[in-house]
Protein backbone atom coordinates (compact mmCIF):
# COMPACT_ATOMS: atom_id res chain seq x y z
CA UNK A 1 0.00 0.00 0.00
CA UNK A 2 2.96 2.32 0.62
CA UNK A 3 3.74 2.48 -3.09
CA UNK A 4 0.15 3.40 -3.86
CA UNK A 5 0.22 6.20 -1.30
CA UNK A 6 3.47 7.52 -2.78
CA UNK A 7 1.97 7.42 -6.28
CA UNK A 8 -1.15 9.27 -5.16
CA UNK A 9 0.98 11.98 -3.55
CA UNK A 10 3.08 12.28 -6.70
CA UNK A 11 -0.05 12.68 -8.84
CA UNK A 12 -0.93 15.83 -6.92
CA UNK A 13 2.59 17.11 -6.31
CA UNK A 14 2.69 20.86 -5.75
CA UNK A 15 2.38 22.85 -8.98
CA UNK A 16 1.40 19.84 -11.09
CA UNK A 17 -1.79 18.32 -12.41
CA UNK A 18 -3.01 15.53 -14.68
CA UNK A 19 -3.58 15.59 -18.43
CA UNK A 20 -6.68 13.59 -19.40
CA UNK A 21 -5.86 12.37 -22.92
CA UNK A 22 -8.02 9.26 -22.63
CA UNK A 23 -10.83 10.19 -25.00
CA UNK A 24 -12.24 6.95 -26.35
CA UNK A 25 -11.97 6.43 -30.12
CA UNK A 26 -15.59 7.52 -30.73
CA UNK A 27 -15.14 10.70 -28.63
CA UNK A 28 -11.78 11.49 -30.23
CA UNK A 29 -13.30 10.93 -33.66
CA UNK A 30 -16.14 13.34 -32.86
CA UNK A 31 -13.64 16.03 -31.80
CA UNK A 32 -11.39 15.42 -34.82
CA UNK A 33 -14.27 15.41 -37.30
CA UNK A 34 -15.66 18.70 -35.95
CA UNK A 35 -12.35 20.18 -37.19
CA UNK A 36 -12.26 18.11 -40.40
CA UNK A 37 -9.34 16.01 -39.11
CA UNK A 38 -9.36 12.40 -40.22
CA UNK A 39 -9.52 10.04 -37.23
CA UNK A 40 -7.35 6.93 -37.66
CA UNK A 41 -5.00 5.10 -35.27
CA UNK A 42 -2.13 6.95 -36.99
CA UNK A 43 -3.65 10.44 -36.72
CA UNK A 44 -4.65 9.85 -33.09
CA UNK A 45 -1.10 8.68 -32.36
CA UNK A 46 0.36 11.79 -34.05
CA UNK A 47 -1.89 14.07 -31.99
CA UNK A 48 -1.15 12.40 -28.65
CA UNK A 49 2.56 12.43 -29.53
CA UNK A 50 2.41 16.17 -30.03
CA UNK A 51 1.00 16.61 -26.51
CA UNK A 52 3.26 14.17 -24.68
CA UNK A 53 6.46 15.35 -26.35
CA UNK A 54 5.78 19.05 -25.69
CA UNK A 55 9.04 20.44 -24.23
CA UNK A 56 9.04 20.73 -20.43
CA UNK A 57 5.57 19.17 -20.06
CA UNK A 58 6.91 17.41 -16.95
CA UNK A 59 7.23 20.74 -15.13
CA UNK A 60 3.43 21.03 -15.01
CA UNK A 61 2.05 17.54 -15.61
CA UNK A 62 2.45 14.75 -13.04
CA UNK A 63 0.46 12.09 -14.87
CA UNK A 64 -1.32 11.37 -18.15
CA UNK A 65 -4.49 9.30 -18.50
CA UNK A 66 -4.32 7.19 -21.67
CA UNK A 67 -6.93 5.31 -23.66
CA UNK A 68 -6.18 1.64 -24.40
CA UNK A 69 -5.23 2.33 -28.03
CA UNK A 70 -2.63 4.97 -27.09
CA UNK A 71 -1.34 2.89 -24.16
CA UNK A 72 -0.09 0.32 -26.70
CA UNK A 73 1.18 2.83 -29.28
CA UNK A 74 4.72 4.21 -29.57
CA UNK A 75 6.10 7.73 -29.51
CA UNK A 76 7.19 8.98 -32.91
CA UNK A 77 10.83 9.78 -32.16
CA UNK A 78 12.25 7.10 -29.85
CA UNK A 79 9.63 4.44 -30.67
CA UNK A 80 9.04 3.60 -27.01
CA UNK A 81 5.60 2.52 -25.86
CA UNK A 82 3.92 5.54 -24.23
CA UNK A 83 3.97 4.20 -20.65
CA UNK A 84 7.74 3.90 -20.92
CA UNK A 85 8.11 7.20 -22.79
CA UNK A 86 6.16 9.05 -20.07
CA UNK A 87 7.90 7.28 -17.17
CA UNK A 88 11.27 8.36 -18.59
CA UNK A 89 10.05 11.95 -18.32
CA UNK A 90 9.00 11.35 -14.71
CA UNK A 91 5.31 11.42 -15.68
CA UNK A 92 3.05 8.72 -14.28
CA UNK A 93 1.18 6.69 -16.92
CA UNK A 94 -2.53 6.19 -16.18
CA UNK A 95 -5.23 4.26 -17.98
CA UNK A 96 -8.96 4.69 -18.49
CA UNK A 97 -10.39 1.33 -17.41
CA UNK A 98 -14.10 1.88 -17.81
CA UNK A 99 -15.71 0.83 -21.08
CA UNK A 100 -17.97 3.85 -21.51
CA UNK A 101 -21.63 4.37 -20.71
CA UNK A 102 -24.82 2.36 -21.13
CA UNK A 103 -28.45 3.22 -20.54
CA UNK A 104 -29.47 2.68 -16.92
CA UNK A 105 -33.09 3.70 -17.30
CA UNK A 106 -35.07 3.98 -20.51
CA UNK A 107 -37.45 6.58 -19.05
CA UNK A 108 -35.02 8.99 -17.41
CA UNK A 109 -32.20 8.28 -19.92
CA UNK A 110 -29.74 8.15 -17.03
CA UNK A 111 -26.55 6.20 -17.62
CA UNK A 112 -24.36 3.68 -15.84
CA UNK A 113 -20.70 2.90 -16.56
CA UNK A 114 -19.67 -0.40 -18.14
CA UNK A 115 -16.55 -2.46 -17.55
CA UNK A 116 -16.61 -4.17 -14.15
CA UNK A 117 -16.95 -7.76 -15.35
CA UNK A 118 -13.35 -8.18 -16.56
CA UNK A 119 -11.77 -5.30 -14.66
CA UNK A 120 -9.56 -7.36 -12.37
CA UNK A 121 -7.84 -9.14 -15.23
CA UNK A 122 -7.38 -5.88 -17.17
CA UNK A 123 -6.08 -3.96 -14.14
CA UNK A 124 -3.43 -6.58 -13.38
CA UNK A 125 -2.26 -6.55 -17.01
CA UNK A 126 -2.15 -2.74 -17.23
CA UNK A 127 0.02 -2.66 -14.11
CA UNK A 128 2.42 -5.17 -15.65
CA UNK A 129 2.46 -3.06 -18.83
CA UNK A 130 3.40 0.10 -16.91
CA UNK A 131 0.24 1.83 -15.68
CA UNK A 132 0.43 3.27 -12.18
CA UNK A 133 -3.06 4.71 -11.84
CA UNK A 134 -6.50 4.26 -13.38
CA UNK A 135 -9.67 6.23 -14.05
CA UNK A 136 -13.37 5.32 -14.01
CA UNK A 137 -16.00 7.95 -14.89
CA UNK A 138 -19.60 7.88 -13.66
CA UNK A 139 -22.08 10.48 -14.89
CA UNK A 140 -25.14 12.06 -13.29
CA UNK A 141 -27.76 14.20 -15.05
CA UNK A 142 -29.52 17.12 -13.33
CA UNK A 143 -33.14 18.19 -13.81
CA UNK A 144 -36.10 18.68 -11.45
CA UNK A 145 -36.27 14.99 -10.62
CA UNK A 146 -32.74 13.83 -11.47
CA UNK A 147 -30.42 12.29 -10.54
CA UNK A 148 -32.62 9.44 -9.36
CA UNK A 149 -31.75 7.42 -6.27
CA UNK A 150 -31.20 4.48 -8.61
CA UNK A 151 -28.44 6.36 -10.47
CA UNK A 152 -26.85 7.64 -7.25
CA UNK A 153 -26.79 4.15 -5.68
CA UNK A 154 -25.65 2.26 -8.77
CA UNK A 155 -22.81 4.65 -9.57
CA UNK A 156 -21.56 4.81 -5.97
CA UNK A 157 -21.58 1.04 -5.83
CA UNK A 158 -19.70 0.65 -9.13
CA UNK A 159 -17.14 3.36 -8.29
CA UNK A 160 -16.41 1.57 -5.00
CA UNK A 161 -16.06 -1.84 -6.72
CA UNK A 162 -13.70 -0.26 -9.23
CA UNK A 163 -11.62 1.46 -6.53
CA UNK A 164 -11.32 -1.76 -4.58
CA UNK A 165 -10.16 -3.76 -7.62
CA UNK A 166 -7.61 -1.07 -8.50
CA UNK A 167 -6.10 -0.88 -5.04
CA UNK A 168 -5.72 -4.65 -4.91
CA UNK A 169 -4.10 -4.56 -8.39
CA UNK A 170 -1.52 -1.90 -7.42
CA UNK A 171 -3.18 0.94 -9.31
CA UNK A 172 -4.22 4.23 -7.66
CA UNK A 173 -7.90 4.76 -8.54
CA UNK A 174 -9.06 8.14 -9.78
CA UNK A 175 -12.68 8.11 -8.66
CA UNK A 176 -14.64 10.33 -11.04
CA UNK A 177 -18.29 11.05 -10.25
CA UNK A 178 -19.19 13.72 -12.82
CA UNK A 179 -22.39 15.70 -12.29
CA UNK A 180 -23.08 17.17 -15.73
CA UNK A 181 -23.60 20.92 -15.79
CA UNK A 182 -25.92 20.95 -18.82
CA UNK A 183 -29.26 22.60 -18.08
CA UNK A 184 -30.52 25.82 -16.57
CA UNK A 185 -30.26 24.90 -12.89
CA UNK A 186 -28.88 27.27 -10.26
CA UNK A 187 -25.53 26.87 -8.52
CA UNK A 188 -27.47 25.98 -5.34
CA UNK A 189 -28.96 22.98 -7.18
CA UNK A 190 -25.49 21.93 -8.39
CA UNK A 191 -24.25 22.13 -4.84
CA UNK A 192 -27.17 20.07 -3.52
CA UNK A 193 -26.76 17.33 -6.16
CA UNK A 194 -22.95 17.22 -6.00
CA UNK A 195 -23.15 16.93 -2.19
CA UNK A 196 -25.59 14.07 -2.37
CA UNK A 197 -23.48 12.28 -4.97
CA UNK A 198 -20.18 12.71 -3.07
CA UNK A 199 -21.82 11.64 0.17
CA UNK A 200 -23.05 8.39 -1.39
CA UNK A 201 -19.70 7.73 -3.10
CA UNK A 202 -17.66 8.12 0.10
CA UNK A 203 -20.16 6.01 2.07
CA UNK A 204 -19.62 3.13 -0.40
CA UNK A 205 -15.84 3.65 -0.56
CA UNK A 206 -15.78 3.48 3.22
CA UNK A 207 -17.87 0.29 3.33
CA UNK A 208 -15.38 -1.33 0.92
CA UNK A 209 -12.42 -0.25 3.13
CA UNK A 210 -10.84 1.80 0.39
CA UNK A 211 -7.59 3.40 1.59
CA UNK A 212 -8.38 7.08 1.13
CA UNK A 213 -4.67 8.02 1.21
CA UNK A 214 -4.21 5.90 -1.95
CA UNK A 215 -6.91 7.40 -4.18
CA UNK A 216 -7.59 10.66 -5.99
CA UNK A 217 -11.04 12.22 -6.37
CA UNK A 218 -11.92 13.76 -9.74
CA UNK A 219 -15.15 15.72 -9.31
CA UNK A 220 -16.96 18.41 -11.24
CA UNK A 221 -16.74 21.98 -9.98
CA UNK A 222 -20.01 23.31 -8.55
CA UNK A 223 -21.24 25.69 -11.29
CA UNK A 224 -24.45 27.30 -12.48
CA UNK A 225 -26.09 25.19 -15.20
CA UNK A 226 -24.59 26.22 -18.55
CA UNK A 227 -27.98 27.46 -19.81
CA UNK A 228 -28.77 29.53 -16.72
CA UNK A 229 -28.53 33.20 -17.68
CA UNK A 230 -27.40 34.13 -14.19
CA UNK A 231 -23.94 32.62 -13.99
CA UNK A 232 -22.33 32.53 -10.53
CA UNK A 233 -19.14 34.58 -10.17
CA UNK A 234 -15.68 33.01 -9.92
CA UNK A 235 -15.58 33.58 -6.16
CA UNK A 236 -19.02 32.03 -5.69
CA UNK A 237 -18.00 28.94 -7.65
CA UNK A 238 -14.89 28.61 -5.49
CA UNK A 239 -16.87 29.07 -2.27
CA UNK A 240 -19.67 26.60 -3.15
CA UNK A 241 -17.26 23.99 -4.50
CA UNK A 242 -14.92 24.07 -1.52
CA UNK A 243 -17.88 24.01 0.90
CA UNK A 244 -19.31 20.97 -0.87
CA UNK A 245 -15.95 19.16 -0.78
CA UNK A 246 -15.26 20.00 2.86
CA UNK A 247 -18.63 18.59 3.86
CA UNK A 248 -18.17 15.30 2.00
CA UNK A 249 -14.54 14.41 1.28
CA UNK A 250 -12.35 12.98 4.08
CA UNK A 251 -9.14 14.92 4.63
CA UNK A 252 -7.16 11.64 4.28
CA UNK A 253 -7.70 11.86 0.50
CA UNK A 254 -4.43 13.48 -0.64
CA UNK A 255 -5.77 15.32 -3.64
CA UNK A 256 -8.71 16.42 -5.67
CA UNK A 257 -8.11 16.85 -9.40
CA UNK A 258 -11.02 18.53 -11.16
CA UNK A 259 -12.42 17.71 -14.58
CA UNK A 260 -13.15 20.75 -16.75
CA UNK A 261 -16.54 19.50 -17.95
CA UNK A 262 -17.04 21.83 -20.90
CA UNK A 263 -16.11 25.12 -19.18
CA UNK A 264 -13.96 27.54 -21.17
CA UNK A 265 -10.20 27.18 -20.67
CA UNK A 266 -10.11 30.53 -18.98
CA UNK A 267 -12.89 29.88 -16.47
CA UNK A 268 -11.59 26.43 -15.56
CA UNK A 269 -8.23 28.03 -14.73
CA UNK A 270 -9.68 30.97 -12.81
CA UNK A 271 -12.02 28.76 -10.78
CA UNK A 272 -9.12 26.52 -9.76
CA UNK A 273 -7.05 29.54 -8.81
CA UNK A 274 -9.84 31.03 -6.67
CA UNK A 275 -10.31 27.71 -4.83
CA UNK A 276 -6.64 27.62 -4.03
CA UNK A 277 -6.88 31.00 -2.36
CA UNK A 278 -9.11 29.41 0.30
CA UNK A 279 -7.91 27.08 3.07
CA UNK A 280 -8.20 23.41 2.08
CA UNK A 281 -7.05 20.16 3.66
CA UNK A 282 -6.20 18.58 0.28
CA UNK A 283 -4.20 19.50 -2.80
CA UNK A 284 -6.65 20.96 -5.33
CA UNK A 285 -5.43 20.59 -8.89
CA UNK A 286 -6.55 19.82 -12.44
CA UNK A 287 -7.19 16.68 -14.46
CA UNK A 288 -8.52 18.39 -17.56
CA UNK A 289 -9.21 17.07 -21.00
CA UNK A 290 -10.83 19.83 -23.05
CA UNK A 291 -9.58 22.81 -21.00
CA UNK A 292 -5.97 21.77 -21.70
CA UNK A 293 -6.42 20.45 -25.23
CA UNK A 294 -9.08 22.33 -27.19
CA UNK A 295 -6.81 25.12 -28.40
CA UNK A 296 -3.96 22.77 -29.27
CA UNK A 297 -6.26 20.51 -31.27
CA UNK A 298 -7.70 23.44 -33.21
CA UNK A 299 -4.26 24.83 -34.02
CA UNK A 300 -2.84 21.44 -35.03
CA UNK A 301 -5.86 20.62 -37.22
CA UNK A 302 -4.11 17.50 -38.51
CA UNK A 303 -1.24 19.47 -40.07
CA UNK A 304 2.27 18.50 -38.94
CA UNK A 305 3.52 22.03 -39.76
CA UNK A 306 1.46 23.34 -36.85
CA UNK A 307 2.98 21.11 -34.16
CA UNK A 308 5.14 23.74 -32.47
CA UNK A 309 2.36 26.28 -32.27
CA UNK A 310 -0.07 23.66 -30.93
CA UNK A 311 2.44 22.53 -28.32
CA UNK A 312 2.93 26.12 -27.19
CA UNK A 313 -0.81 26.62 -26.73
CA UNK A 314 -1.03 23.42 -24.69
CA UNK A 315 2.01 24.33 -22.56
CA UNK A 316 0.70 27.80 -21.86
CA UNK A 317 -2.52 26.35 -20.43
CA UNK A 318 -0.63 23.68 -18.48
CA UNK A 319 1.57 26.40 -17.00
CA UNK A 320 -1.39 28.66 -16.12
CA UNK A 321 -3.15 25.76 -14.39
CA UNK A 322 0.05 24.87 -12.55
CA UNK A 323 0.01 28.40 -11.15
CA UNK A 324 -3.74 28.15 -10.46
CA UNK A 325 -3.16 24.92 -8.50
CA UNK A 326 -1.04 27.02 -6.14
CA UNK A 327 -3.40 30.02 -6.13
CA UNK A 328 -0.70 32.12 -7.77
CA UNK A 329 -2.60 33.80 -10.62
P1 LIG B 1 -12.88 17.28 -19.43
O1 LIG B 1 -11.85 18.07 -18.65
O2 LIG B 1 -12.89 17.60 -20.89
O3 LIG B 1 -14.23 17.33 -18.79
O4 LIG B 1 -12.41 15.77 -19.40
C1 LIG B 1 -11.97 15.22 -18.23
C2 LIG B 1 -12.19 13.77 -18.22
O5 LIG B 1 -11.26 13.02 -18.03
C3 LIG B 1 -13.55 13.26 -18.43
O6 LIG B 1 -13.60 11.91 -18.05
Amino acid sequence: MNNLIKTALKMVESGKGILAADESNPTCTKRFESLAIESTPTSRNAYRDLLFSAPDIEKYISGVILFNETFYQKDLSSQAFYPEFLSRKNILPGIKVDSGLELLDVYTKEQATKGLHDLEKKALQYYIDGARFAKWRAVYHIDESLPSQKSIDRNANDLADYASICQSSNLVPIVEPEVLMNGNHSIAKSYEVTSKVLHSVFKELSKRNIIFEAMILKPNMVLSGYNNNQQASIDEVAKWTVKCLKENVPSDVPGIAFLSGGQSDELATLHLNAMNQLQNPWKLTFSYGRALQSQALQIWAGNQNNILEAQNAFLELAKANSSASQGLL
Side-chain angles (χ1 to χ4, degrees):
M1 200 48 71
N2 268 348
N3 280 344
L4 285 186
I5 295 172
K6 272 193 213 147
T7 299
L9 286 170
K10 196 167 146 91
M11 288 164 73
V12 292
E13 195 179 322
S14 189
K16 295 189 187 181
I18 296 165
L19 166 64
D22 60 324
E23 298 83 4
S24 63
N25 288 347
T27 301
C28 195
T29 297
K30 226 188 294 163
R31 302 220 171 123
F32 275 29
E33 287 181 350
S34 73
L35 297 165
I37 306 168
E38 197 191 0
S39 182
T40 63
T42 308
S43 67
R44 293 190 289 269
N45 195 357
Y47 172 63
R48 264 73 183 245
D49 192 82
L50 166 176
L51 296 174
F52 308 159
S53 60
D56 289 340
I57 173 186
E58 64 277 14
K59 283 192 186 159
Y60 319 113
I61 302 292
S62 58
V64 174
I65 317 174
L66 301 164
F67 183 62
N68 183 72
E69 178 183 87
T70 320
F71 193 87
Y72 293 106
Q73 286 178 327
K74 294 175 179 172
D75 87 272
L76 300 183
S77 53
S78 73
Q79 291 293 308
F81 284 107
Y82 281 117
E84 190 193 329
F85 176 79
L86 292 167
S87 302
R88 273 202 233 127
K89 286 185 180 249
N90 196 26
I91 296 175
L92 292 160
I95 180 77
K96 171 187 173 75
V97 295
D98 67 66
S99 313
L101 302 172
E102 65 184 352
L103 206 56
L104 172 67
D105 188 300
V106 282
Y107 296 108
T108 65
K109 302 276 187 289
E110 288 175 294
Q111 293 157 301
T113 306
K114 297 184 286 185
L116 276 177
H117 68 285
D118 58 351
L119 183 56
E120 191 164 5
K121 195 169 134 228
K122 285 198 312 199
L124 289 167
Q125 191 61 49
Y126 281 134
Y127 179 81
I128 292 169
D129 294 340
R132 290 297 171 263
F133 69 93
K135 168 189 130 172
W136 177 283
R137 172 175 177 256
V139 303
Y140 304 83
H141 300 254
I142 296 189
D143 77 8
E144 291 89 53
S145 53
L146 300 182
S148 65
Q149 198 57 47
K150 177 170 158 185
S151 149
I152 291 174
D153 293 346
R154 167 69 183 272
N155 282 315
N157 191 66
D158 290 358
L159 281 166
D161 277 350
Y162 145 79
S164 170
I165 293 170
C166 284
Q167 288 193 341
S168 57
S169 310
N170 266 321
L171 297 174
V172 171
I174 292 186
V175 172
E176 182 179 3
E178 176 174 6
V179 180
L180 298 174
M181 291 296 141
N182 306 323
N184 56 10
H185 53 270
S186 63
I187 191 166
K189 178 77 178 178
S190 290
Y191 160 80
E192 179 201 315
V193 170
T194 307
S195 272
K196 212 166 162 186
V197 163
L198 290 177
H199 179 78
S200 72
V201 169
F202 278 95
K203 199 166 140 200
E204 282 308 311
L205 292 172
S206 218
K207 274 201 220 157
R208 252 34 95 80
N209 299 318
I210 299 303
I211 311 293
F212 292 145
E213 291 87 342
M215 65 164 274
I216 299 294
L217 177 70
K218 174 164 173 165
N220 52 285
M221 295 181 194
V222 174
L223 309 174
S224 313
Y226 294 138
N227 297 332
N228 186 323
N229 43 29
Q230 275 202 304
Q231 291 289 307
S233 67
I234 290 164
D235 286 342
E236 279 178 294
V237 167
K239 194 186 80 193
W240 284 94
T241 306
V242 167
K243 174 175 159 62
C244 182
L245 295 170
K246 280 191 178 158
E247 288 165 351
N248 294 290
V249 183
S251 56
D252 310 357
V253 172
I256 297 178
F258 293 97
L259 58 93
S260 60
Q263 300 176 71
S264 68
D265 310 342
E266 193 186 356
L267 276 179
T269 310
L270 294 176
H271 287 150
L272 181 62
N273 189 59
M275 284 189 254
N276 276 302
Q277 284 167 350
L278 305 173
Q279 287 296 324
N280 308 297
W282 333 264
K283 283 275 165 50
L284 294 186
T285 189
F286 57 93
S287 174
Y288 299 156
R290 285 163 287 179
L292 284 175
Q293 292 187 52
S294 300
Q295 284 193 32
L297 182 61
Q298 270 183 47
I299 294 169
W300 175 61
N303 182 341
Q304 298 306 88
N305 295 327
N306 300 336
I307 286 181
L308 282 183
E309 205 190 325
Q311 286 180 326
N312 285 338
F314 162 60
L315 286 171
E316 219 166 276
L317 285 167
K319 193 174 174 182
N321 280 288
S322 157
S323 300
S325 71
Q326 302 167 87
L328 295 177
L329 284 182

